[in-house]
Amino acid sequence: QVQLVESGGGLVQAGGSLRLPCVASGRTFSSYAMGWFRQPPGKEREFVAAINWGGGSKYYTDSVKGRFTISRDNAKNTVYLQMHSLKHADTAIYYCAARPQIANRTYRLYDYWGQGNQVTVSS
């Protein structure tokens, strides 16, 4: 069992930056791949970024490449989403999620989810 708690969201102006941490409970965090997903207003949940259990492989959706960075600190049971050059289109509820070992872009393949964290980018 893994419990995930996100923080770091809020209101930011376009062009600004935010960092979202997601802290996991449990002793086996290092064996889980972690993903970040988001759900814009009135839209379906979509993939943002993911990182394998060891941190060696990272994946991004095209719209955030070069602006967002996913990283993890297994000693702190934490995965991060660093967001730069934020756009109004990045406004969404952001969720972190966990699945065994290998990252995936499909949200239905993740077993554990955080509660969600609102990010609002003003234009």
Side-chain angles (χ1 to χ4, degrees), residues 89-113:
D90 295 318
T91 295
I93 299 173
Y94 283 73
Y95 299 87
C96 68
R99 70 181 307 274
Q101 296 191 339
I102 306 301
N104 198 288
R105 296 171 181 264
T106 304
Y107 75 85
R108 292 182 180 87
L109 297 181
Y110 284 76
D111 300 315
Y112 304 103
W113 289 85

Side-chain angles (χ1 to χ4, degrees), residues 12-58:
V12 63
Q13 289 186 334
S17 299
L18 280 176
R19 188 177 77 156
L20 304 182
C22 172
V23 180
S25 65
R27 297 176 294 174
T28 59
F29 173 76
S30 61
S31 67
Y32 283 87
M34 300 299 297
W36 284 97
F37 294 80
R38 66 187 180 187
Q39 188 163 12
K43 297 184 179 180
E44 292 189 353
R45 194 168 301 190
E46 62 186 28
F47 170 75
V48 177
I51 186 168
N52 277 352
W53 65 277
S57 297
K58 303 177 183 181

Side-chain angles (χ1 to χ4, degrees), residues 23-93:
V23 180
S25 65
R27 297 176 294 174
T28 59
F29 173 76
S30 61
S31 67
Y32 283 87
M34 300 299 297
W36 284 97
F37 294 80
R38 66 187 180 187
Q39 188 163 12
K43 297 184 179 180
E44 292 189 353
R45 194 168 301 190
E46 62 186 28
F47 170 75
V48 177
I51 186 168
N52 277 352
W53 65 277
S57 297
K58 303 177 183 181
Y59 309 91
Y60 299 93
T61 192
D62 286 347
S63 64
V64 308
K65 285 180 181 177
R67 300 188 299 121
F68 291 12
T69 302
I70 188 170
S71 62
R72 66 188 298 158
D73 184 340
N74 287 344
K76 295 182 178 180
N77 280 14
T78 303
V79 63
Y80 302 95
L81 185 67
Q82 178 69 56
M83 305 184 291
H84 294 297
S85 302
L86 282 160
K87 305 175 181 180
H88 180 65
D90 295 318
T91 295
I93 299 173

Side-chain angles (χ1 to χ4, degrees), residues 4-17:
L4 304 174
V5 179
E6 305 111 336
S7 60
L11 176 64
V12 63
Q13 289 186 334
S17 299

